[in-house]
């Protein structure tokens, strides 16, 4: 059995009494790439910060790279690479100066050569003397990635690394992630992009601080046990509006199409029945997409919370 | 025209909302004027009176009482001690316990009655000329007012001469007070401001998060932040001392080594204040406001802007 890079149980964090992360348990085998998905404010960043030893959990226990997240936070910091959501390097330092600073902090041997090698590896060599603040979004993200992997961490925690980055740069970024994974690095990357979720070995979906689904994309889609119908045509917005109030049914408009999903096929059939005769719409049953599953997950979680409150 | 008004009103409302959210700024807007009022009103007096004065009298009697009475009536002098020797008086002035030494020489009364115009010696601590200049000016009236009641017509006016010695600063150069004082002002301002901004900048730009995620503990972050400013502080000291010596001809009489050591304590104290502000402030603007809040009373009450002697004891 492969060792676990992340093995936490019941991880909980409260901010002023409110549980931002609520009993999250994760077992990430070494060498896998995991996608961490969930709406804004669902607790992704807080979870990642607890994993890398930045934040002390209020409850739960576990290890990162075999190190206890409560007792050995400092050791974890030395062995984990954490890329913050916001660009957090010095905009008034050059690319090389930023990397040199990080190399010094980690007391890397043969610092100069390491910095050069890192710049070569991520293609920043020609921009070594450019101020980090003047880099475009994609290059900033590369610099940040370069900085957090320079000390050769065995675990990378990347918090929305591709937010605001163009598709080309995202593709190259993911190529780099997979290259790292081939070298045995474990990667946990939070994202809002469905296509990025599909590039991961496994995904974890979190909402309101709770993990709602864990597994491969296929497993998560299958696990939701969702039925989906797609309506295409000019009347889709009307239908979406009227179906929005139906309990147990989730809707999402994708361009010309409307996706309607529910766990109970009979509920779904009954809900769409009044609109089946609409001559402006063409209906067909379809496999639910990952996004349909996420919309369903968040909507049922919201409904459950409202019911509880 | 109407739309101009609407846009200005929209901006005004937005500003007011932001101001209300930023509690600290709001507090400053109310707090700073109140503080200024209190400090200016109570503590600052550009015309200090009741200055502590030491009396050396070698001629006890009615004339002595008249002179002391006249000095005290002028409002500028307050006899705090009567000593017998000059060494004792000198010590009190050097310690700052007294601003003036009045010496009534032996046979003063006799010489006065003989019409020989005896000399009354008044030594003033002139390190801060602004603090004592009004009192010194008031002395010119002394020979006429002192003896008006007791010896009217008996002595030809003016019956005696007032000799004024300005100790430490005979030419009354204000540079002697201002330039060394500037050292403190410059250091306080830069040290507090720079450190309070230095840490807040990290928080504001999100780089603090990264620093904390790396193998670096808060004490190391603080030490690394403070160290460069200690060096900068000493560079400033060197610049001020050189300028004092060569531009303003202010002599350096004390021990440079002692100054260097004492300055370290001063620098560290200021840096600590700056770090404290940076820990409380949520952004650089707040840090700057706090620095201002600290700087204003510290400069107004330091004796640099207004004479220390004029402040309530």
């Amino acid at each position: 059995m492969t060792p676990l890079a992340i093995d936490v149980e019941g991880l909980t964090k409260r901010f002023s009494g409110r549980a931002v992360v609520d009993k999250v348990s994760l077992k990430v085998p070494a060498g896998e790439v995991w996608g961490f998905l969930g709406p804004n404010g669902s607790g992704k960043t807080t979870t990642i910060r607890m994993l890398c030893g930045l934040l002390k959990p209020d409850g739960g226990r576990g290890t990162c790279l075999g190190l206890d997240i409560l007792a050995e936070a400092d050791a974890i910091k030395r062995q984990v690479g954490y890329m913050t959501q916001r660009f957090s390097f010095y905009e008034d330092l050059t690319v090389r100066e930023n990397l040199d600073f990080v190399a010094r902090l980690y007391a890397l041997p043969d610092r100069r050569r390491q910095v050069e090698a890192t710049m070569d590896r991520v293609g920043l060599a020609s921009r070594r003397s450019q101020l980090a603040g003047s880099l475009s979004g994609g290059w900033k993200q590369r610099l940040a990635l370069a900085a957090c992997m320079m000390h050769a961490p065995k675990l990378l925690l990347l918090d929305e690394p591709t937010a605001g980055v163009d598709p080309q740069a995202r593709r190259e970024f993911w190529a780099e992630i997979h290259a790292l994974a081939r070298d045995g690095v474990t990667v946990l990357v939070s994202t809002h992009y469905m296509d990025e979720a599909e590039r991961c070995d496994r995904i974890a979906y979190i909402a309101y601080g709770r993990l709602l689904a864990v597994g491969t994309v296929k497993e998560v889609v299958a696990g939701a046990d969702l039925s989906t119908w797609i309506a295409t045509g000019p009347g889709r917005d009307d239908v979406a509006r009227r179906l929005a109030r139906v309990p147990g049914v989730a809707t999402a408009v994708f361009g010309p199409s409307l996706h309607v999903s529910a766990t109970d096929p009979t509920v779904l059939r009954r809900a769409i029945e009044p609109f089946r005769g609409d001559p402006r719409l063409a209906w067909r049953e379809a496999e639910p997409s990952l996004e349909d599953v996420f919309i369903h997950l968040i909507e049922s979680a919201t409904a459950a919370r409202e019911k509880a409150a | 025209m109407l739309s101009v008004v609407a846009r200005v009103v929209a901006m005004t409302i937005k500003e007011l909302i932001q101001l209300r959210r930023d509690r600290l700024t709001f507090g400053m807007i109310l707090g700073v004027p109140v503080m200024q009022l209190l400090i200016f009103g109570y503590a600052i007096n550009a015309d200090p009176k009741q200055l502590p004065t030491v009396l050396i009298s070698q001629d006890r009697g009615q004339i002595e009482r008249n002179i002391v009475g006249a000095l005290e009536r002028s409002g500028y002098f307050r006899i705090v001690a009567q000593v017998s020797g000059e060494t004792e008086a000198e010590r009190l002035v050097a310690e700052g316990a007294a601003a003036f030494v009045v010496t009534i020489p032996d046979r003063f009364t006799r010489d006065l009655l003989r019409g020989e115009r005896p000399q009354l010696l008044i030594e003033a601590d002139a390190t801060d000329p602004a603090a004592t200049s009004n009192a010194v000016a008031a002395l010119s009236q002394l020979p006429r007012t002192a003896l008006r009641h007791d010896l009217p017509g008996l002595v030809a006016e003016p019956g005696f001469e007032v000799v004024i010695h300005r100790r430490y600063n005979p030419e009354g150069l204000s540079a002697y007070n201002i330039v060394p004082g500037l050292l403190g002002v410059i250091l306080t301002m830069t040290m507090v401001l720079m450190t309070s901004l230095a840490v807040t900048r990290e928080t504001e730009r999100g780089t603090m998060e990264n620093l904390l995620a790396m193998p670096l503990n808060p004490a190391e972050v603080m030490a690394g932040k403070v160290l460069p400013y200690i060096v900068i502080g000493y560079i400033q000291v060197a610049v001020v001392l050189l300028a004092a010596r060569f531009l303003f001809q202010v002599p350096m009489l004390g021990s440079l080594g002692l100054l260097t050591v004492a300055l370290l304590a001063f620098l560290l104290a200021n840096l600590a204040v700056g770090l404290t502000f940076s820990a409380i402030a949520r952004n650089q603007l707040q840090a700057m406001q706090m620095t201002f809040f600290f700087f204003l009373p510290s400069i107004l009450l330091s004796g640099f802007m207004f004479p220390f002697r004029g402040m309530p004891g």
Side-chain angles (χ1 to χ4, degrees), chain A residues 49 77 82 86 88-90, chain B residues 202 204 206 209-210 212 215:
Chain A
R49 295 186 73 202
K77 281 186 196 176
Y82 168 47
R86 192 174 152 194
S88 55
F89 288 88
Y90 298 95
Chain B
E202 301 266 3
E204 204 175 281
E209 173 83 354
N210 206 8
L212 294 176

Side-chain angles (χ1 to χ4, degrees), chain B residues 94-162:
Chain B
E95 282 176 359
F100 289 95
V101 179
V102 175
T103 308
I104 302 175
D106 191 21
R107 288 181 295 203
F108 186 84
T109 309
R110 200 196 63 185
D111 290 352
L112 183 74
L113 294 175
R114 282 184 180 176
E116 285 176 2
R117 297 200 65 205
Q119 293 185 329
L120 181 72
L121 175 64
I122 298 190
E123 293 163 287
D125 173 1
T127 40
D128 180 6
T132 47
S133 59
N134 281 355
V136 169
L139 286 173
S140 64
Q141 298 293 323
L142 189 67
R144 257 171 296 159
T145 56
L147 308 172
R148 191 178 289 159
H149 296 287
D150 285 282
L151 301 165
L154 256 177
V155 227
E157 283 194 23
F160 60 93
E161 197 183 335
V162 176

Side-chain angles (χ1 to χ4, degrees), chain B residues 3-22:
Chain B
S3 59
V4 172
V5 174
R7 290 195 293 263
V8 172
V9 167
M11 271 308 281
T12 309
I13 290 171
K14 186 217 70 162
E15 287 296 320
L16 286 173
I17 293 171
Q18 287 180 317
L19 204 57
R20 204 183 55 196
R21 292 283 140 74
D22 189 354

Side-chain angles (χ1 to χ4, degrees), chain B residues 190-191 194-195 198 201 220-236 267-268 271:
Chain B
T190 46
M191 292 301 109
M194 295 312 268
T195 37
R201 191 166 50 226
E220 290 162 348
V221 173
M222 284 208 286
K225 284 276 172 195
V226 162
L227 217 58
Y229 294 109
I230 293 180
V231 175
I232 289 169
Y234 274 116
I235 292 172
Q236 287 181 328
L267 287 174
L268 287 176
L271 292 171

Side-chain angles (χ1 to χ4, degrees), chain A residues 49 52 54 77-78 82 84 86-90 92 101-102 105-106, chain B residues 201-216 225:
Chain A
R49 295 186 73 202
C52 66
L54 257 181
K77 281 186 196 176
R78 273 192 293 277
Y82 168 47
T84 52
R86 192 174 152 194
F87 179 71
S88 55
F89 288 88
Y90 298 95
D92 44 0
F101 171 66
V102 175
L105 284 183
Y106 284 101
Chain B
R201 191 166 50 226
E202 301 266 3
T203 333
E204 204 175 281
R205 296 195 184 161
T207 48
M208 188 57 103
E209 173 83 354
N210 206 8
L211 284 181
L212 294 176
M214 290 193 273
L216 192 72
K225 284 276 172 195

